[in-house]
């Protein structure tokens, strides 16, 4: 094999090696595969140390059950074990711990998530389904997590602001490599990152419901500048979600006057939550209505949110 | 008989490579994800019946991937013809992820690979995206080991002529 061919093959290896799915794809697809397995096959996936420990665990469970029978309220009629069961029912928080709630939203106290009867909202529309869990993403905030580009030189005007914005980003090697949704926000064209939630895609918004992402300002068909988050890998952790019905139940009741505008549509989104030196992207429900009103409800189960 | 690896291990070891192979054929990240998902769903269903004697696990997976890509092409052609008839529109624009990928280091090489005949593109992708031997590539592509080698060397020769040194 000639050196020239060796070099070409090395470049081919590097080129094919650079093709990778998005970061969350592996976990998403595995979750779909797991969902198809019967429960005993999921347990069968435990291997190595888990199998060695299994007989020991079985013995411990038997002994524990026997001790519980002897000391528990059912045997003696006492109340000695009550406190322990309350403590053990608290779920451990996933990898990022309790998450900061999106600004301006209220986190219901644990146990109140379904209390809906007295908070009849002014929402009259379909509610999208939420899956049992979704990924939350996190990125450390540093001086290098945002970029700004100012236009230099003259560019030919484009009749479509989206075309002008895309062209500007491509010329500056700043077109996002992740899936995105394009939104027009005033004179800005916003490229909002999209994340998978269940079978659908959810775009990134700020806590007030505006699109968040790479923002290109276009005036008279010419891009004058762009700014946005740097395209970097995100850490991720799966969090349990509450149901859309529970989120709807927590919508604030309409103001005293019955003329307050009604919310008419709901969308699953990801909301940007900066806190403690990090920026979190958390799933949420965005309710919107006429006159540009909107209100956001966290989708993460309340026990995993900071009060 | 060789031991069959756990499906979890196969998934972990081959997900990126199968995705890369599928992406190289489809050039669209969303479609590549859909087809990759189909590959692993089919593989998961069939894994209990899979025997290592006939094919290695990686050759088996790439064979499923190849069939899934063909099915996808067939469905896409039918859909595209129907949509064109109904709307008289051009096909959708370029995939954003593909555009981003194209602008990086390998643009010239990617363009050159895409100019190769379909089977040559496929053999190059299999050779550089999988760890398959030419014998296994032949099994996946329904040809002999020698034919797979020949096809690959022709592809590389063509690429050397297309890509500037």
């Amino acid at each position: 094999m000639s050196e020239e061919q060796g070099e070409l093959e090395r470049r081919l290896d590097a080129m094919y090696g650079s093709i990778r799915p998005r970061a969350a794809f592996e976990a998403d697809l595995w979750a779909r595969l797991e969902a198809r397995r019967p429960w005993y096959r999921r347990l069968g996936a435990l291997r190595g140390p888990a199998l060695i420990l299994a007989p020991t665990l079985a013995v411990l469970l038997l002994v524990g059950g026997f001790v519980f029978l002897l000391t528990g309220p059912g045997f003696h009629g006492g109340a000695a074990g009550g406190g322990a069961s309350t403590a053990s029912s608290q779920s451990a928080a996933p990898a990022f711990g309790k998450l900061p709630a999106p600004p301006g939203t209220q986190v219901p106290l644990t146990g109140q998530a379904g209390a809906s009867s007295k908070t009849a909202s002014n929402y009259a529309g379909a509610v999208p389904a939420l899956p049992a869990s979704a990924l939350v993403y996190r990125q450390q905030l540093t001086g290098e997590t945002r970029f700004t580009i100012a236009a230099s030189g003259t560019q030919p005007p484009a009749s479509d602001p989206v075309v002008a914005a895309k062209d500007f980003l491509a010329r500056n090697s700043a077109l996002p490599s992740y899936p995105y949704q394009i939104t027009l926000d005033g004179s800005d064209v916003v490229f909002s990152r999209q994340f998978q939630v269940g079978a659908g895609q959810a775009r990134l918004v700020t806590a007030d419901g505006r699109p968040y992402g790479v923002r290109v300002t276009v005036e008279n068909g010419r891009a004058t500048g762009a700014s946005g988050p740097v395209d970097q890998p995100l850490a991720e952790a799966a969090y349990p979600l509450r149901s859309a019905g529970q989120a709807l139940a927590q919508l604030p009741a309409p103001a005293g006057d019955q003329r307050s505008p009604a919310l008419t549509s709901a969308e699953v989104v990801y909301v940007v939550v900066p806190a403690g030196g990090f920026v979190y992207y958390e799933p949420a429900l965005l309710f919107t209505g006429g006159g540009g009103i909107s209100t956001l409800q966290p989708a993460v189960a309340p026990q995993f949110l900071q009060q | 008989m060789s031991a069959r690896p756990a499906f979890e291990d196969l998934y972990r070891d081959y997900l990126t490579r199968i995705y890369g192979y599928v992406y190289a054929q489809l050039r669209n990240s969303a479609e590549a994800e859909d087809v990759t998902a189909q590959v692993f769903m089919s593989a998961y269903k069939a894994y209990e019946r899979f025997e290592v004697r006939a094919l290695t696990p990686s050759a088996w997976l790439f064979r499923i991937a190849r069939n899934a890509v063909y099915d996808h092409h067939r469905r896409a052609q039918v859909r595209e013809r129907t949509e064109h008839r109904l709307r008289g529109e051009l096909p959708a624009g370029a995939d954003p992820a593909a555009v981003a990928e194209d602008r990086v280091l390998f643009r010239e090489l990617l363009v050159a690979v895409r100019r190769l005949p379909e089977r040559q593109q496929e053999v190059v992708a299999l050779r550089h995206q999988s760890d398959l031997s030419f014998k296994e590539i032949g099994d996946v592509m329904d040809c002999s080991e020698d034919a797979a080698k020949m096809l690959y060397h022709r592809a590389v020769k063509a690429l050397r002529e297309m890509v500037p040194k």
Side-chain angles (χ1 to χ4, degrees), chain A residues 8-75:
Chain A
L8 176 64
E9 295 201 311
R10 274 191 291 279
R11 285 173 66 192
L12 285 166
D13 274 337
M15 182 184 84
Y16 283 104
S18 72
I19 302 174
R20 301 194 145 269
R22 67 191 162 80
F25 179 61
E26 182 174 354
D28 289 349
L29 179 55
W30 184 248
R32 285 167 63 190
L33 286 167
E34 278 283 278
R36 294 187 159 215
R37 290 192 195 213
W39 64 270
Y40 53 86
R41 294 275 307 275
R42 284 178 227 168
L43 288 178
L46 294 171
R47 296 194 306 279
L51 272 187
I52 297 164
L53 286 173
T56 318
L57 280 172
V59 170
L60 282 174
L61 279 173
L62 275 174
V63 171
F66 185 65
V67 169
F68 178 79
L69 278 176
L70 287 177
T71 59
F75 195 81

Side-chain angles (χ1 to χ4, degrees), chain A:
Chain A
M1 185 171 65
S2 72
E3 197 174 312
E4 196 185 319
Q5 181 168 335
E7 173 57 24
L8 176 64
E9 295 201 311
R10 274 191 291 279
R11 285 173 66 192
L12 285 166
D13 274 337
M15 182 184 84
Y16 283 104
S18 72
I19 302 174
R20 301 194 145 269
R22 67 191 162 80
F25 179 61
E26 182 174 354
D28 289 349
L29 179 55
W30 184 248
R32 285 167 63 190
L33 286 167
E34 278 283 278
R36 294 187 159 215
R37 290 192 195 213
W39 64 270
Y40 53 86
R41 294 275 307 275
R42 284 178 227 168
L43 288 178
L46 294 171
R47 296 194 306 279
L51 272 187
I52 297 164
L53 286 173
T56 318
L57 280 172
V59 170
L60 282 174
L61 279 173
L62 275 174
V63 171
F66 185 65
V67 169
F68 178 79
L69 278 176
L70 287 177
T71 59
F75 195 81
H76 286 303
S85 69
T86 310
S88 65
S89 70
Q90 299 290 322
S91 314
F96 303 151
K98 284 199 170 191
L99 298 170
T105 58
Q106 282 190 335
V107 179
L109 294 171
T110 308
Q112 287 185 348
S116 60
S117 58
K118 296 207 174 153
T119 54
S121 69
N122 56 346
Y123 180 68
V127 183
L130 285 173
S133 67
L135 291 173
V136 168
Y137 300 89
R138 187 172 80 169
Q139 187 179 29
Q140 193 149 22
L141 277 174
T142 67
E144 293 167 0
T145 44
R146 284 191 68 78
F147 73 86
T148 304
I149 306 166
S152 59
T154 52
Q155 320 145 41
S159 56
D160 182 349
V162 174
V163 172
K166 267 189 167 176
D167 182 51
F168 180 73
L169 290 178
R171 276 189 287 111
N172 288 284
S173 299
L175 197 62
S177 63
Y178 44 73
Y180 53 76
Q181 182 178 323
I182 297 174
T183 318
L184 293 175
D185 188 27
S187 63
D188 290 351
V189 179
V190 188
F191 296 71
S192 300
R193 189 169 188 152
Q194 285 187 306
F195 299 97
Q196 187 89 23
V197 180
Q201 296 280 330
R203 67 190 172 101
L204 201 51
V205 300
T206 56
D208 59 2
R210 290 184 68 194
Y212 176 81
V214 175
R215 189 170 275 269
V216 184
T217 303
V218 180
E219 287 167 4
N220 301 321
R222 290 185 176 89
T224 59
S227 64
V230 172
D231 183 358
Q232 285 177 339
L234 303 170
E236 60 187 41
Y239 276 75
L241 303 186
R242 57 179 170 171
S243 73
Q246 286 168 338
L248 178 62
Q250 295 298 327
L251 273 179
D257 63 332
Q258 291 302 309
R259 288 169 299 166
S260 57
L263 299 166
T264 50
S265 68
E267 177 192 1
V268 183
V269 293
Y270 266 79
V271 58
V272 184
V273 186
F278 291 96
V279 61
Y280 295 82
Y281 298 157
E282 300 175 13
L285 278 171
L286 177 66
F287 294 89
T288 50
I293 60 154
S294 68
T295 181
L296 197 81
Q297 282 294 312
V300 172
Q303 63 268 38
F304 300 109
L305 291 174
Q306 293 164 16
Q307 297 289 335

Side-chain angles (χ1 to χ4, degrees), chain B residues 28-44:
Chain B
N28 178 299
S29 52
E31 288 176 13
E33 280 195 7
D34 285 348
V35 172
T36 305
Q38 280 168 29
V39 170
F40 280 95
M41 294 281 182
S42 307
Y44 173 70

Side-chain angles (χ1 to χ4, degrees), chain B residues 17-165:
Chain B
R17 284 185 251 188
I18 293 288
Y19 172 87
Y21 167 74
V22 172
Y23 179 87
Q25 313 299 310
L26 303 182
R27 301 154 202 169
N28 178 299
S29 52
E31 288 176 13
E33 280 195 7
D34 285 348
V35 172
T36 305
Q38 280 168 29
V39 170
F40 280 95
M41 294 281 182
S42 307
Y44 173 70
K45 267 194 259 174
Y47 198 51
E48 278 189 1
R49 298 190 306 277
F50 166 68
E51 287 182 20
V52 181
R53 270 177 305 177
L55 280 174
T56 60
S58 60
W60 177 72
L61 266 183
F62 276 97
R63 183 168 232 178
I64 296 174
R66 183 173 187 252
N67 290 338
V69 168
Y70 279 0
D71 283 349
H72 179 85
H73 278 315
R74 263 199 302 274
R75 282 197 304 272
Q77 276 167 7
V78 171
R79 194 172 55 233
E80 210 163 285
R81 276 200 300 268
T82 312
E83 283 177 1
H84 283 204
R85 258 203 320 270
L86 290 173
R87 299 188 302 179
E89 283 178 3
L90 289 170
D95 171 31
V99 172
E101 205 154 324
D102 282 7
R103 75 179 148 75
V104 294
L105 298 167
F106 309 111
R107 185 180 172 81
E108 280 172 348
L109 194 52
L110 257 178
V111 169
V113 169
R114 286 171 188 177
R115 281 201 210 128
L116 293 174
E118 211 163 281
R119 271 179 77 78
Q120 288 189 9
Q121 285 187 40
E122 201 178 343
V123 78
V124 170
L126 282 171
R127 183 68 182 156
H128 290 276
Q129 195 70 63
S130 70
D131 54 359
L132 300 183
S133 64
F134 278 114
K135 161 94 179 57
E136 290 170 313
I137 292 175
D139 288 341
V140 171
M141 295 184 67
D142 293 319
C143 64
S144 69
E145 178 179 357
D146 286 344
K149 268 186 201 166
M150 182 68 77
L151 195 61
Y152 176 75
H153 288 299
R154 276 191 194 138
V156 170
K157 186 165 178 277
L159 283 175
R160 281 170 58 186
E161 284 163 12
M162 282 191 263
V163 178
K165 288 166 201 167

